[in-house]
C-alpha cells in the first residue's frame, strides 16, 4: 500500500474494520476485497503466485500476509513489506517476516531477490507504474522476476486520485493506478522489463516480468 497517504493508520483501520472502499476522483466507488486479503490463500493465489516462486521472494504491499505466510509454509524464504502497522502485525501473527517499510525505503536484500510480488492491484502503488517497476527492478537479482497482478484486457492504464472510505471517514487523496493486460507490455518496456508470461484464473490475471 502506498505511503503517498499521509499515515498508514488509514489502512490500519481498513484491516481492523474488515471492509472499506476506494472512492475515485470522478465519484466512482470500488469495494475492496479486505476479507480475501485477510483470509487464506485460494487456488488462484497458488496458481498465480505461489507456484511461480522458487527462491527468496519480496511481497510488496503484503497487507495481512496471506501470500508471504503461504510462502513461509512452503519453506520459501520470504519478506513482506507494508506501510500499515496493522498489516505487519497480522502478517507476523501468521509466522512470516514482515517490515514496516515503503517500497522506496531501504529494503533488506536489495539487488538479490529472486521474485517480487505486486498482488491485489499493488502495481498501482504511487500512481506511476513505470516508476514503481523501475524501483522493483532495482530490488531484484540479475535473473529475478516480478509477478504483477493486472486488470482485464481493455482496461489500459488508468491513473487517478483516490480516497479510502473506512469507519465513516475519508483518507487524504492519494495517487493510484490500474494497469490492464492490454497495457502491461508497454508499461514493462518503459521500465526496462519484458513480459515473459501471463497466467489467469477465476477472473484474475498476473504477468511475469523479467529484465529486458
Amino acid at each position: 500500500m502506498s505511503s503517498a497517504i499521509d499515515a498508514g493508520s488509514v489502512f490500519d483501520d481498513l484491516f481492523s474494520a474488515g471492509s472499506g472502499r476506494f472512492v475515485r476522483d470522478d465519484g466512482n466507488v470500488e469495494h475492496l476485497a479486505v476479507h480475501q486479503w485477510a483470509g487464506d490463500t485460494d487456488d488462484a493465489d497458488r496458481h498465480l503466485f505461489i507456484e511461480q516462486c522458487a527462491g527468496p521472494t519480496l511481497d510488496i504491499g503484503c497487507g495481512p500476509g496471506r501470500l508471504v505466510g503461504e510462502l513461509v509454509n512452503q519453506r520459501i524464504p520470504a519478506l513482506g513489506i507494508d506501510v500499515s502497522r496493522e498489516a505487519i502485525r497480522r502478517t507476523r501473527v501468521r509466522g512470516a517476516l514482515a517490515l514496516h517499510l515503503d517500497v522506496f525505503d531501504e529494503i533488506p536484500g536489495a539487488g538479490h531477490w529472486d521474485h517480487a510480488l505486486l498482488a491485489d492491484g499493488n502495481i498501482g502503488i504511487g500512481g506511476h507504474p513505470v516508476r514503481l517497476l523501475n524501483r522493483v527492478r532495482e530490488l531484484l537479482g540479475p535473473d529475478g522476476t516480478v509477478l504483477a497482478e493486472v486488470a482485464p484486457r481493455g482496461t489500459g492504464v488508468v491513473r487517478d486520485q483516490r480516497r479510502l472510505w473506512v469507519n465513516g471517514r475519508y483518507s487524504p487523496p492519494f495517487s493510484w493506478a490500474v494497469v490492464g493486460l492490454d497495457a502491461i507490455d508497454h508499461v514493462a518496456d518503459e521500465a526496462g522489463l519484458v513480459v515473459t508470461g501471463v497466467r489467469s484464473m477465476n477472473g484474475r490475471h498476473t504477468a511475469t516480468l523479467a529484465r529486458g
Side-chain angles (χ1 to χ4, degrees):
M1 302 298 177
S2 172
S3 61
I5 295 178
D6 293 340
S9 62
V10 178
F11 280 106
D12 292 343
D13 291 345
L14 176 70
F15 295 126
S16 296
S19 64
R21 57 186 184 265
F22 276 153
V23 181
R24 300 205 311 248
D25 53 6
D26 61 5
N28 286 329
V29 173
E30 176 186 346
H31 291 274
L32 301 176
V34 182
H35 291 294
Q36 175 185 317
W37 301 343
D40 295 328
T41 53
D42 58 17
D43 289 343
D45 288 328
R46 289 186 284 274
H47 177 71
L48 299 175
F49 294 102
I50 306 301
E51 293 175 4
Q52 300 195 73
C53 296
T57 300
L58 179 67
D59 187 358
I60 297 166
C62 66
R66 79 180 190 284
L67 294 177
V68 68
E70 180 63 19
L71 288 167
V72 170
N73 290 339
Q74 298 292 329
R75 301 187 182 278
I76 295 173
L79 169 68
I81 61 170
D82 205 291
V83 299
S84 164
R85 294 186 184 277
E86 177 63 14
I88 296 305
R89 185 191 71 79
R90 292 181 179 228
T91 299
R92 290 173 177 172
V93 167
R94 293 178 184 264
L97 179 62
L99 297 175
H100 183 244
L101 293 172
D102 182 277
V103 65
F104 293 99
D105 291 338
E106 185 174 343
I107 304 297
H112 298 283
W113 292 100
D114 286 353
H115 310 286
L117 309 185
L118 291 170
D120 303 321
N122 282 338
I123 196 171
I125 287 173
H128 198 315
V130 173
R131 177 173 179 259
L132 175 62
L133 289 176
N134 271 316
R135 170 55 176 158
V136 176
R137 181 166 50 83
E138 295 173 349
L139 301 176
L140 294 173
D143 298 318
T145 62
V146 185
L147 305 177
E149 187 162 355
V150 294
R153 192 172 301 279
T155 303
V157 178
V158 179
R159 299 174 61 187
D160 57 22
Q161 292 287 308
R162 300 186 175 199
R163 291 180 293 168
L164 186 66
W165 172 265
V166 62
N167 281 344
R169 69 186 181 102
Y170 284 109
S171 74
F174 60 97
S175 298
W176 196 258
V178 179
V179 178
L181 270 176
D182 53 316
I184 188 59
D185 285 279
H186 176 72
V187 170
D189 181 67
E190 290 289 303
L193 299 166
V194 295
V195 177
T196 61
V198 171
R199 287 192 173 197
S200 299
M201 188 173 188
N202 295 347
R204 296 170 62 193
H205 313 279
T206 56
T208 300
L209 315 179
R211 297 179 188 274

